[in-house]
């Protein structure tokens, strides 16, 4: 038998506070336990170290290089990371 959603401890990271707050409210309404939020990578890493969440939902930019003529493609993505024993695994990616 699986544990209830409330047992899943989630951290959120996004530089847009309104988006973070809206997502946190939706997750809490759905029965999840949002243990913290961060606006940047250093804040997220400190939060993960301190709170040891089960899941981290992270939104941020990344670049893909090596295109024709050295072109670089800049994109935003949302990544959901899940803790698996002693390491993190990517559970979902959305560009």
């Amino acid at each position: 038998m699986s544990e209830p959603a409330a047992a899943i401890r989630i951290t959120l990271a996004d530089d847009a506070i309104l988006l973070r707050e809206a997502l946190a409210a939706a997750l809490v309404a759905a029965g999840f336990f949002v243990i913290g939020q961060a606006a940047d990578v250093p804040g997220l890493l400190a939060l993960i170290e301190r709170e040891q969440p089960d899941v981290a939902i992270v939104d941020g930019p990344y670049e893909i290089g090596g295109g024709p003529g050295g072109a670089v493609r800049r994109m935003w993505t949302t990544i959901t990371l899940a803790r698996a024993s002693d390491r993190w695994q990517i559970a979902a990616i959305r560009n």
Side-chain angles (χ1 to χ4, degrees):
M1 185 169 163
S2 63
E3 294 183 32
I8 298 173
R9 298 165 32 92
I10 300 174
T11 57
L12 304 175
D14 193 310
D15 61 344
I17 190 167
L18 292 176
L19 205 89
R20 277 196 332 263
E21 290 292 332
L23 180 55
L27 288 167
V28 168
F32 293 94
F33 184 45
V34 177
I35 59 171
Q37 301 178 35
D40 55 25
V41 172
L44 173 65
L45 294 176
L47 182 62
I48 287 173
E49 180 72 24
R50 184 178 64 249
E51 299 294 335
Q52 299 292 306
D54 302 307
V55 173
I57 300 174
V58 183
D59 186 58
Y62 71 99
E63 296 180 352
I64 299 174
V72 174
R73 182 175 177 192
R74 291 177 176 84
M75 302 171 66
W76 280 89
T77 192
T78 300
I79 301 173
T80 303
L81 302 164
R83 184 181 300 277
S85 301
D86 62 342
R87 61 191 176 115
W88 288 89
Q89 295 182 336
I90 296 175
I93 297 177
R94 177 158 192 325
N95 292 330

